[in-house]
Amino acid sequence: MRKRVILILTFVIAAAAGKAQNSQLLYFMNLPQNHILNPSLITSNSWYIGVPGISGINLNITNNFLSFSDLFMKGVEISKDNLAFLDPDFDRDKFLGSLKELNYIEPKASVQILSAGFNIGEDLFLFLDVSDNVRANVVFPKDLLRIAFLGNESFAGQTFNLSDTRAEYIYYREIGAGVSKQVTPRLRFGGKAKLLFGVTAGMLQNYGLNLTVGSDYATTLQANMALDMSAPVNVYTNADNEVEDFELDDSRFDSGSGVFDFLGNTKNAGFGVDLGAEFLVTDQIVVSAAITDVGFIKWKSDLVNLEAVSDIELSGLDFEDVYQGRATIDEVITSLRDSVRYSFKKAPEEKVFSTKLPVGLAIGGKYVLNDRYSFGILSYSRITSQQIKQAVTLSANMNIRNSFQASLGYTACNHDYSNLGLGLAFRASVFQMYFLVDRIPLNWKKTGSGGETLTLPANWNTIHTMMGINLVFGNKRANNL
């Protein structure tokens, strides 16, 4: 029972603790947060104030290669040492056959600290947002997992190009001010300018990475990489300038002022912009489009620059040793860490670096049936320098005088076509509460053994929720336009 409670609480806390890429159901709901996806969209309220810290809470964890069914097996006790892919009975061929050429895992989270918006006259709406954002992205080719699962002996004499492997994380604060203007009776245009202040970041830049398995099964990495970081860490090197270890500089956080200085850092500055438009084709058909998060951050403080241009001899331990009982997963990880420990050297001088925000592109259409019901379609793409991730959502929406709203959606994304979503919003006096989940799994399975069994999503590789509380005033219109 304790494990059941712990796991359930983990999901609940995760869903309530962060905000990330925004819910697509949000696009067609009459909520103050909808301008995040398209700055031309406005709420029907005369003005609003987001409850600080809880007005926009959103979590998104997504990957394209791993599902819950790969983590837990029926009949096996639930623990970190009994994950499905570490069990000798795990169907490795099926799992490896489902891998993509490029595989990724991408957790994202942020919190809307402050938000407000208000009307000026009949056709001008101003809004302000302050939010903290955290995201990470790890990308690797399938050959990396094939070697890990099948062992070196299966690939003797072969060389693999792993140059697409990359990783990054970023934590930054966004301060944005925007405007939505009714340009003509049928056209509304919106824009938002954003100041970005980076707190910490890390970026692994891969200029070349090849892995060779020798005839004697020895594994060598030919690496040409750089790791750029802006973080409060101490790096320890030996006489040859090789990195032996690095650790968090705890002394920076001994006092409240140190924590404030770190979180309030303004030295890593950047700029971003959102643009959007909404056009009323007829009294019942509305089309819209937006491009968001076009921006960058230049990192100048707490710089750590490491370089790896060398051949790295890797330990022979892999998952095959775990299956055969010759090693534990902890020993495999420790062995890999020790293999690469001395491969990085500290750069001779500090180097400023930049990170770009993933650009969002939204194209939507809505058919208004009457003053309560509408139907929408939204294509949303996230674009980085090397990847495009797209999702398409169909939704049926209900709005009863903005006192109660509901949106039911179907989303195709991430090579999964069985995603149902639900959005609900309630208004009691000036308090507006909402909750949205874009990915409700349809296929569930039991896992665990004995009395410690849980029913979990079987093929769920995306978690996405959004929730919050606003104070809303006035109600200019009660229809779906």
Side-chain angles (χ1 to χ4, degrees), residues 126-416:
L126 304 180
F127 51 87
L128 172 70
D129 295 299
V130 179
S131 62
D132 274 17
N133 305 268
V134 180
R135 63 176 175 84
N137 188 26
V138 178
V139 180
F140 53 89
K142 67 179 180 181
D143 286 336
L144 196 60
L145 282 184
R146 289 177 62 226
I147 296 170
F149 276 94
L150 300 179
N152 299 352
E153 296 181 9
S154 302
F155 304 98
Q158 298 185 45
T159 296
F160 301 90
N161 185 352
L162 306 179
S163 298
D164 289 323
T165 303
R166 58 185 181 275
E168 66 175 340
Y169 79 90
I170 181 174
Y171 171 23
Y172 67 97
R173 181 165 296 112
E174 175 187 308
I175 302 174
V179 58
S180 178
K181 168 72 174 176
Q182 194 73 39
V183 180
T184 72
R186 292 187 177 273
L187 176 64
R188 175 173 285 273
F189 180 81
K192 181 180 180 182
K194 301 185 286 191
L195 291 177
L196 308 175
F197 297 104
V199 179
T200 180
M203 180 169 59
L204 179 65
Q205 301 190 63
N206 190 340
Y207 305 112
L209 185 65
N210 293 293
L211 186 147
T212 299
V213 181
S215 57
D216 59 352
Y217 311 135
T219 307
T220 304
L221 274 177
Q222 296 87 36
N224 182 4
M225 299 183 295
L227 176 61
D228 295 322
M229 298 177 64
S230 173
V233 297
N234 295 319
V235 179
Y236 302 99
T237 59
N238 57 23
D240 296 323
N241 205 33
E242 298 170 334
V243 176
E244 292 187 326
D245 201 2
F246 61 89
E247 63 181 11
L248 181 69
D249 185 1
D250 294 329
S251 63
R252 293 272 298 274
F253 308 103
D254 289 340
S255 64
S257 60
V259 175
F260 179 81
D261 290 342
F262 172 69
L263 295 177
N265 186 7
T266 59
K267 296 178 182 178
N268 306 314
F271 180 78
V273 65
D274 300 343
L275 297 173
E278 184 182 44
F279 183 72
L280 185 64
V281 180
T282 70
D283 290 342
Q284 291 181 296
I285 299 176
V286 184
V287 295
S288 57
I291 183 168
T292 56
D293 287 332
V294 179
F296 69 94
I297 299 174
K298 182 168 287 189
W299 300 86
K300 299 180 179 180
S301 67
D302 292 329
L303 293 176
V304 176
N305 306 112
L306 307 179
E307 300 172 343
V309 184
S310 61
D311 290 346
I312 306 169
E313 298 295 331
L314 297 181
S315 163
L317 291 177
D318 48 45
F319 286 151
E320 181 66 24
D321 294 290
V322 178
Y323 299 142
Q324 300 299 327
R326 296 190 295 263
T328 66
I329 185 62
D330 290 336
E331 289 173 336
V332 172
I333 294 174
T334 300
S335 178
L336 179 62
R337 181 196 65 192
D338 291 342
S339 297
V340 301
R341 173 174 291 185
Y342 298 104
S343 61
F344 281 91
K345 292 186 176 183
K346 195 171 182 180
E349 59 182 22
E350 291 184 347
K351 180 181 64 175
V352 173
F353 66 98
S354 298
T355 55
K356 295 180 180 179
L357 301 184
V359 176
L361 178 62
I363 301 175
K366 180 169 65 172
Y367 176 77
V368 180
L369 184 64
N370 53 42
D371 63 355
R372 288 192 176 185
Y373 302 102
S374 68
F375 302 92
I377 180 171
L378 175 66
S379 170
Y380 183 80
S381 303
R382 293 185 67 252
I383 306 168
T384 65
S385 58
Q386 295 174 300
Q387 284 180 298
I388 298 178
K389 301 171 186 175
Q390 186 172 19
V392 177
T393 298
L394 302 175
S395 67
N397 315 289
M398 179 176 67
N399 184 356
I400 302 177
R401 300 191 62 82
N402 298 323
S403 295
F404 173 74
Q405 300 180 57
S407 183
L408 181 64
Y410 166 81
T411 298
C413 75
N414 204 19
H415 302 281
D416 190 350

Side-chain angles (χ1 to χ4, degrees), residues 420-439:
L420 288 182
L422 178 65
L424 297 172
F426 307 88
R427 175 175 173 175
S429 183
V430 299
F431 294 94
Q432 182 186 64
M433 295 159 283
Y434 68 92
F435 175 80
L436 302 91
V437 55
D438 274 2
R439 316 285 188 264

